[in-house]
Amino acid sequence: MLTINGITVRLGGRAILDGASASLPPGSRVGLIGRNGAGKSTMVKVIAGQIEPDGGSIDMPRGARIGYIAQEAPAGDATPFDTVLAADTERARLMEQSETEADPEKLGDIYERLIAIDAYTAPARASQILLGLGFDEDAQNRPLDSFSGGWKMRVALAALLFSQPDLLLLDEPSNHLDLEAVMWLEDFLRAYRATIVVVSHERDFLNNVVDHILHLQGGKTTLYAGGYDSFERQRAERMAQLAAAKANQDAQRAKLQDYVARNSARASTAKQAQSRAKMLAKMQPIAELANDPTLSFGFPDPEPLRPPLVTLDHASVGYGDTPILRKLNLRMDPDDRIALLGRNGNGKTTFARLIAAQLAPMEGGMAATGRMRVGYFTQYQVEELEADDTPLAHMTRVMKGATPAAVRAQLGRFGFSGDRATAKVGKMSGGEKARLALALITREAPHLLILDEPTNHLDVDAREALVQALNDYKGAVLIVSHDRHMVELTADRLVLVDDGTAREFDGSLDDYVALVLAKEPKGEGKAARKEAAKDRKAAAEKRESEKAWRKVAKEMEGEIASLNADRSAIERAMFDPASASGALAKLAMSDLMKRRSALTERIEAAEARWLEATAALEEA
């Protein structure tokens, strides 16, 4: 059993956790939930031993192994397969000892322990976990440094799952996963035999995985039995009881105050009035359910346009000379709500960028209404917000010529009113930054909203508010999300991006889930493990011939990042000359535009070279 005893943690003079307590049953799967900033990650770090609490303690069985993902993703020349296999440190140590130990008795003990921990099936288990998280046989044997940060975090998750700790701590494990990988993870966690504490804001994930909800609010914790839907029913009942109790208390308070006011001055009733005054002073106020501005989403409605908004006719799109998607046929009307399905890496973002006119079709045709305005949300926009600026400064900069009242009104739609409009972005939570990014992209009342994983930083209640706002919005929506609850409630058309194209999926989201689960690998027998070993050997033999192309790809990635940084500096100088420094501050607007154009050409050339290298690696 894991017992949380009165944990208190203060940060910057404020109590993040304030005497939080709970007893988690052995082998339970617990969803730790709460609003953004409530202290969920702090609680996980306290349990993991990474934060020393100011008060209280964590009790668990002696010798229990705790598994928690580090903040930094793994890197280097090691492969995902080797990284995951090395996560079982006892196995790695025993395997090394078995090759050097000369004492027969000690060697026998080593082999006995290796058998006990199922060490010889470890390669197959490691490969299966990586496969479930989206790494095919080839990807399992590529260097870690050839992957993006999101894929590296998948490797970290795979290593943690493989290590099989007695207490598994997961903080937003689905943020870097696509829908297919999320469903695999749900199956894995349902079968996990030890205790799990998982921080998640995904309703379906919590319903499918956990058997208890630990709700963190106001620094305190309350444990509920059941999944998220069960918790929400119980919470609704408590909120109704709270509202009724507060109304009753307010009526009683008003009655006492009236009695004291009328009877304090009269000698015959002064004592009774004093007694009631004492009752008033001792009456503990019942907290009122406040209107939370973090749940505020209000998309401005655009003026009507005639359909269709966008038409694709046998279009192809990609980067450089390499098409990623071909034979695209699609029509979007002003009232369409489309969700893109498919694994990460299949081209969903490429498709979205085509619809947003950030990429031009390489072949075929694309027609879009000339007056159509597009609002395009990505995680990059959240990351690129200026930490030292305020929401008001950001919005004023992009709404040039707008009145201060109009700027404030747009911020107010998304909960940034009053002092919140002038708070520093660097001190905001991820959810607040996401709301600000949404406020910025919708300032011109777009006819089409393109949302690429908009919920990653939003808690459950904020996600519900976003769903409601999207359903009230009068424009078209194209959404990429692994949050099934959001997709199910907002999308009326599903488009599957797979096999180098995108096509309408004829069925519901439940049909798609059933299709994915039908394709899931079922485990490997002896023959399959031998075949996997042969494949790994062949992959190892190919790695040598791929080194040169890998070097080119890595060099181009560095060059692209450097050139993009230079172009961003120029763009900031163009849009906000007062922020320019050094040589850029001395250049005229025409010179800045020329430099930006030259950098864009160099970026496109570097991207083409990078695509050439990655294509060669894929062919190899």
Side-chain angles (χ1 to χ4, degrees):
M1 177 179 288
L2 171 65
T3 305
I4 302 168
N5 299 308
I7 294 296
T8 296
V9 175
R10 295 183 181 88
L11 297 175
R14 183 171 70 93
I16 303 299
L17 302 175
D18 188 10
S21 299
S23 294
L24 310 185
S28 57
R29 298 189 299 273
V30 180
L32 176 57
I33 69 169
R35 303 304 311 278
N36 285 338
K40 301 182 296 297
S41 294
T42 300
M43 176 64 83
V44 170
K45 289 176 181 177
V46 170
I47 297 172
Q50 295 194 352
I51 291 180
E52 187 70 27
D54 296 297
S57 63
I58 300 291
D59 294 338
M60 63 183 71
R62 186 187 300 271
R65 294 180 303 115
I66 301 175
Y68 177 63
I69 292 182
Q71 292 299 312
E72 291 189 6
D77 294 329
T79 66
F81 179 79
D82 292 336
T83 302
V84 171
L85 208 55
D88 188 340
T89 54
E90 182 185 12
R91 176 189 178 277
R93 175 174 52 80
L94 291 172
M95 293 293 285
E96 185 177 349
Q97 290 177 355
S98 70
E99 296 176 359
T100 58
E101 182 58 59
D103 186 330
E105 186 174 344
K106 291 182 179 179
L107 191 60
D109 292 340
I110 290 172
Y111 284 133
E112 185 176 339
R113 181 57 183 164
L114 284 170
I115 292 171
I117 64 174
D118 208 15
Y120 298 104
T121 64
R125 286 188 284 112
S127 180
Q128 197 74 5
I129 289 172
L130 284 166
L131 189 63
L133 292 176
F135 295 87
D136 59 20
E137 190 69 32
D138 177 65
Q140 291 181 27
N141 291 284
R142 283 168 44 196
L144 285 169
D145 282 348
S146 66
F147 293 97
S148 67
W151 284 92
K152 288 178 181 177
M153 289 308 297
R154 289 196 189 202
V155 176
L157 175 60
L160 177 61
L161 299 178
F162 176 76
S163 67
Q164 297 182 314
D166 303 307
L167 173 60
L168 180 60
L169 302 175
L170 300 171
D171 194 347
E172 294 286 1
S174 61
N175 266 6
H176 301 287
L177 304 182
D178 49 36
L179 178 57
E180 292 78 359
V182 169
M183 289 190 289
W184 177 89
L185 180 61
E186 289 176 357
D187 282 343
F188 184 94
L189 295 179
R190 278 197 296 266
Y192 198 75
R193 296 181 180 179
T195 302
I196 300 171
V197 176
V198 55
V199 177
S200 178
H201 295 305
E202 294 191 30
R203 178 191 294 261
D204 284 358
F205 182 87
L206 291 168
N207 279 329
N208 292 336
V209 170
V210 308
D211 51 31
H212 287 78
I213 292 290
L214 185 62
H215 185 216
L216 181 55
Q217 184 177 32
K220 309 288 188 183
T221 48
T222 306
L223 187 65
Y224 298 81
Y228 185 83
D229 285 348
S230 174
F231 153 75
E232 200 166 57
R233 285 193 297 272
Q234 295 175 68
R235 183 176 64 159
E237 292 171 1
R238 289 187 62 171
M239 289 170 66
Q241 293 169 358
L242 183 67
K246 187 177 187 309
N248 182 57
Q249 186 188 70
D250 287 346
Q252 185 181 4
R253 183 185 298 277
K255 189 175 180 180
L256 288 171
Q257 287 172 336
D258 178 64
Y259 185 92
V260 170
R262 287 188 294 103
N263 295 282
S264 293
R266 291 176 12 203
S268 60
T269 57
K271 287 186 178 180
Q272 292 91 329
Q274 289 175 2
S275 175
R276 283 164 173 75
K278 289 179 181 178
M279 289 175 62
L280 270 172
K282 292 180 179 179
M283 188 178 288
Q284 294 295 320
I286 296 174
E288 186 173 9
L289 300 177
N291 181 22
D292 193 337
T294 65
L295 302 183
S296 183
F297 294 89
F299 299 113
D301 291 327
E303 72 277 9
L305 288 180
R306 291 183 178 178
L309 289 181
V310 180
T311 304
L312 297 178
D313 184 14
H314 287 84
S316 297
V317 64
Y319 304 91
D321 296 326
T322 306
I324 303 297
L325 300 172
R326 298 179 174 88
K327 299 179 180 178
L328 301 175
N329 295 288
L330 181 82
R331 169 178 167 145
M332 283 196 73
D333 288 339
D335 58 350
D336 271 333
R337 306 299 171 96
I338 298 176
L340 300 183
L341 306 176
R343 279 197 175 275
N344 286 353
N346 281 3
K348 298 193 296 293
T349 296
T350 301
F351 185 89
R353 292 188 66 191
L354 173 66
I355 300 298
Q358 290 189 0
L359 294 174
M362 301 168 67
E363 297 175 352
M366 173 177 169
T369 302
R371 292 165 48 216
M372 180 180 70
R373 296 185 299 273
V374 178
Y376 186 13
F377 174 90
T378 71
Q379 291 301 314
Y380 299 111
Q381 291 163 326
V382 177
E383 295 164 4
E384 291 173 357
L385 293 170
E386 295 291 341
D388 292 332
D389 272 353
T390 66
L392 184 60
H394 277 88
M395 192 63 71
T396 301
R397 197 157 48 238
V398 298
M399 291 182 67
K400 293 182 178 179
T403 64
V407 172
R408 287 272 188 176
Q410 175 63 9
L411 287 170
R413 292 175 180 273
F414 292 83
F416 295 102
S417 56
D419 292 342
R420 292 178 180 272
T422 55
K424 294 288 187 183
V425 169
K427 294 183 178 180
M428 291 180 177
S429 68
E432 289 174 313
K433 292 176 183 177
R435 279 192 292 117
L436 177 55
L438 286 167
L440 291 169
I441 67 159
T442 59
R443 64 188 183 275
E444 295 181 343
H447 301 91
L448 169 62
L449 269 180
I450 301 177
L451 306 177
D452 194 343
E453 296 293 356
T455 63
N456 275 359
H457 297 288
L458 302 180
D459 57 46
V460 181
D461 293 333
R463 293 180 186 212
E464 290 297 323
L466 177 58
V467 166
Q468 183 62 51
L470 288 174
N471 288 336
D472 291 340
Y473 170 61
K474 297 297 190 286
V477 176
L478 179 69
I479 188 168
V480 179
S481 177
H482 60 262
D483 188 328
R484 277 162 288 175
H485 183 70
M486 167 160 280
V487 170
E488 199 166 30
L489 293 183
T490 58
D492 50 30
R493 290 173 62 190
L494 302 177
V495 171
L496 177 59
V497 182
D498 194 21
D499 293 330
T501 190
R503 57 189 179 278
E504 296 271 353
F505 181 77
D506 186 17
S508 66
L509 187 60
D510 286 340
D511 295 329
Y512 179 68
V513 169
L515 176 66
V516 170
L517 293 177
K519 292 181 178 179
E520 285 294 310
K522 301 299 182 184
E524 298 180 38
K526 186 175 180 181
R529 287 196 295 274
K530 285 183 178 179
E531 191 63 31
K534 284 173 61 179
D535 290 343
R536 282 194 294 274
K537 182 179 178 181
E541 291 172 351
K542 288 192 296 181
R543 280 200 293 271
E544 194 64 29
S545 65
E546 299 169 8
K547 282 184 179 179
W549 281 117
R550 249 188 228 110
K551 183 179 179 181
V552 171
K554 191 170 183 179
E555 289 175 350
M556 290 303 102
E557 287 173 358
E559 184 173 346
I560 291 168
S562 176
L563 292 171
N564 273 319
D566 291 343
R567 185 169 65 176
S568 295
I570 289 174
E571 289 173 344
R572 282 196 295 272
M574 291 170 63
F575 291 110
D576 186 14
S579 69
S581 60
L584 294 181
K586 302 175 182 178
L587 295 178
M589 180 61 71
S590 59
D591 293 326
L592 289 171
M593 293 176 66
K594 289 178 182 177
R595 285 201 180 192
R596 185 186 183 282
S597 178
L599 281 171
T600 299
E601 290 179 3
R602 290 177 63 189
I603 290 169
E604 290 174 351
E607 287 177 341
R609 182 67 170 154
W610 178 83
L611 282 167
E612 182 183 7
T614 54
L617 287 170
E618 289 174 358
E619 289 176 4

